[in-house]
Amino acid sequence: MSFTTLPRYFSYTDFEQLFKQLCKSLPSGSYRLDVIGSSVLKQPIYGLQIGSGDTKVLLWSQMHGNESTLTRALLFLLASGKLVQNLSNLSLYIIPVLNPDGATAWTRNNANNVDLNRDALELSQPESQLLHKVFHDFQPNFCLNLHDQRTIYGNKEGTMPVQASFLSPAGDIEKTIGPQRLLAMQIINHLYSIAETRLSGLVGRYKDDFNPNCWGDWMTLHQAAVVLFEAGHAGDDYARDEITAVMTDLLHASLIFINRMPVLNDKTSIIDAYTAIPNIATNYCDILIKNHKDAKSDFQNLQVSFHEQVVEGELYFVPILIGVNRNDILNGHRVIDLSKDSDYQKDIEISASLVLTSESLGINIFANKF
């Protein structure tokens, strides 16, 4: 397996081999690679340091094990050599996979079933303790918090799916906008101007309710400029290949922007541009089936979402019925109107575990790509 064929799910062993290979391809003396700790199940966690500039940038990905898009983006940037080019003002500290146990099992939480992004205060897990130590030892000026988001997000009207979103996290309950948040907002405004021309879906603004247990909020409170990246979904990009390519470019664009040592322009104009980015809402499903009728009911709308699970090293998508006539779900990445679909053979089947399939509609369990 090479980085060019790296799928959405990959084993941690495959990741380690690729990552070490790509690090060795960097110019001699330009980097330092260390095992900086281990997971609950004693898998090694890596820290890669690149550059010696005065501006320090901490990046970490796969805090949630089933969110691999930005890990792939980091590997693409490593392979391209762009992390050692034209970034002379920066010192980078990269943790490409913070949660290797979750990455292996394809779960959000770690092996102790703890969400690491709700552990910034308690520090109950070895992975959280490691991130805390890196933050205090490295003392970054900027933090790039790299995530994926589920397929449930759209604009508030439910007319467009969210393919990417960003956030400058709040550092207190009042959501104070100090110098660090302004810098983060300025970076996000720059990324938004690029992303909205590249994506078929919406580029949105993630909600900024303050939670001191979340690492982005905690780091903002501790005087770092934090940018949350959320790689989302539109269309049939279930392999997340399209969004990985765009996020690779956006991640690089953020580093180029920071390398220029951004100077704060007018505070009001920065805030106005940032707040003009559309809010996101949880109002999408994967498949919305309209006008379904069975012997027990009148016409119904059925909401289906794919459950992701790994079986023998392969990522599968299982269509699960999550609702009937749910008013909070306004749209689907695929919409089927049975009153207009001439191919429908009245063959929808719903199992006891709520797996919904239909051969005539092409709704089945699938692997890798939709």
Side-chain angles (χ1 to χ4, degrees):
M1 184 180 294
S2 71
F3 74 92
T4 57
T5 59
L6 192 70
R8 186 173 171 191
Y9 174 78
F10 44 85
S11 74
Y12 197 63
T13 299
D14 284 340
F15 160 76
E16 287 183 283
Q17 293 174 346
L18 285 171
F19 181 58
K20 291 177 182 178
Q21 171 190 331
L22 292 174
C23 289
K24 289 178 181 178
S25 70
L26 296 173
S28 177
S30 67
Y31 73 96
R32 174 176 174 174
L33 177 62
D34 296 301
V35 174
I36 57 175
S38 59
S39 67
V40 172
L41 299 181
K42 305 304 179 185
Q43 296 197 82
I45 298 173
Y46 296 91
L48 173 64
Q49 297 186 62
I50 299 175
S52 57
D54 292 334
T55 302
K56 298 180 179 181
V57 186
L58 173 62
L59 309 88
W60 71 99
S61 184
Q62 266 181 291
M63 168 177 281
H64 296 140
N66 58 355
E67 299 178 4
S68 63
T69 296
L70 273 299
T71 303
R72 295 165 73 193
L74 284 169
L75 293 176
F76 276 102
L77 286 178
L78 271 176
S80 70
K82 291 180 178 180
L83 292 180
V84 293
Q85 299 171 359
N86 304 315
L87 298 175
S88 59
N89 294 323
L90 304 186
S91 292
L92 305 180
Y93 198 119
I94 301 169
I95 306 174
V97 178
L98 183 64
N99 182 5
D101 299 340
T104 300
W106 200 247
T107 57
R108 175 183 175 92
N109 294 351
N110 76 345
N112 285 333
N113 198 30
V114 172
D115 184 339
L116 299 179
N117 202 29
R118 301 295 185 272
D119 197 37
L121 291 180
E122 189 172 349
L123 299 176
S124 66
Q125 302 303 302
E127 300 92 345
S128 306
Q129 295 162 15
L130 184 153
L131 183 59
H132 185 271
K133 184 177 187 305
V134 168
F135 180 85
H136 276 287
D137 290 350
F138 186 58
Q139 297 186 352
N141 307 103
F142 294 86
C143 296
L144 306 185
N145 186 6
L146 310 179
H147 289 262
D148 280 46
Q149 61 188 28
R150 295 164 60 193
T151 59
I152 61 175
Y153 294 101
N155 61 357
K156 65 179 182 179
E157 297 84 9
T159 57
M160 185 178 292
V162 174
Q163 202 169 5
S165 61
F166 300 93
L167 174 67
S168 166
D172 55 37
I173 194 68
E174 292 82 14
K175 303 182 182 180
T176 303
I177 301 176
Q180 285 73 31
R181 286 199 77 193
L182 277 174
L183 283 171
M185 288 177 181
Q186 198 168 7
I187 295 167
I188 291 169
N189 292 342
H190 176 65
L191 297 180
Y192 179 77
S193 68
I194 300 171
E196 67 171 344
T197 66
R198 292 280 308 274
L199 295 173
S200 57
L202 180 81
V203 183
R205 178 163 49 90
Y206 209 77
K207 56 186 179 182
D208 67 347
D209 295 337
F210 176 65
N211 184 344
N213 296 304
C214 295
W215 281 99
D217 305 51
W218 184 89
M219 289 178 177
T220 300
L221 177 63
H222 287 80
Q223 305 306 307
V226 181
V227 176
L228 171 69
F229 285 67
E230 292 275 358
H233 178 89
D236 63 356
D237 188 31
Y238 286 95
R240 297 276 169 113
D241 289 338
E242 177 187 353
I243 190 60
T244 296
V246 175
M247 280 295 184
T248 301
D249 293 341
L250 293 178
L251 188 55
H252 185 238
S254 69
L255 295 174
I256 293 291
F257 190 83
I258 295 169
N259 186 69
R260 295 204 308 260
M261 299 295 291
V263 176
L264 291 175
N265 297 316
D266 177 64
K267 176 178 179 179
T268 300
S269 64
I270 294 172
I271 296 172
D272 287 348
Y274 177 76
T275 54
I277 299 172
N279 285 313
I280 67 174
T282 54
N283 53 20
Y284 257 73
C285 63
D286 288 297
I287 304 174
L288 176 60
I289 302 173
K290 295 183 175 181
N291 296 310
H292 173 262
K293 188 175 183 179
D294 59 28
K296 299 178 181 179
S297 63
D298 293 328
F299 288 109
Q300 301 170 316
N301 291 338
L302 308 179
Q303 292 82 28
V304 177
S305 283
F306 291 121
H307 171 70
E308 300 172 11
Q309 61 185 55
V310 171
V311 179
E312 297 182 349
E314 191 90 49
L315 179 61
Y316 288 88
F317 297 81
V318 182
I320 301 292
L321 179 67
I322 62 166
V324 176
N325 293 332
R326 282 181 56 174
N327 294 326
D328 59 319
I329 297 180
L330 304 180
N331 211 335
H333 295 285
R334 181 185 176 196
V335 178
I336 302 170
D337 190 339
L338 296 183
S339 67
K340 301 176 182 179
D341 197 317
S342 59
D343 295 328
Y344 178 50
Q345 302 298 317
K346 296 184 179 180
D347 61 350
I348 287 178
E349 296 184 5
I350 303 172
S351 73
S353 57
L354 298 181
V355 177
L356 185 151
T357 57
S358 166
E359 288 296 330
S360 67
L361 297 175
I363 303 175
N364 289 292
I365 298 171
F366 66 94
N368 291 329
K369 290 194 175 183
F370 187 69

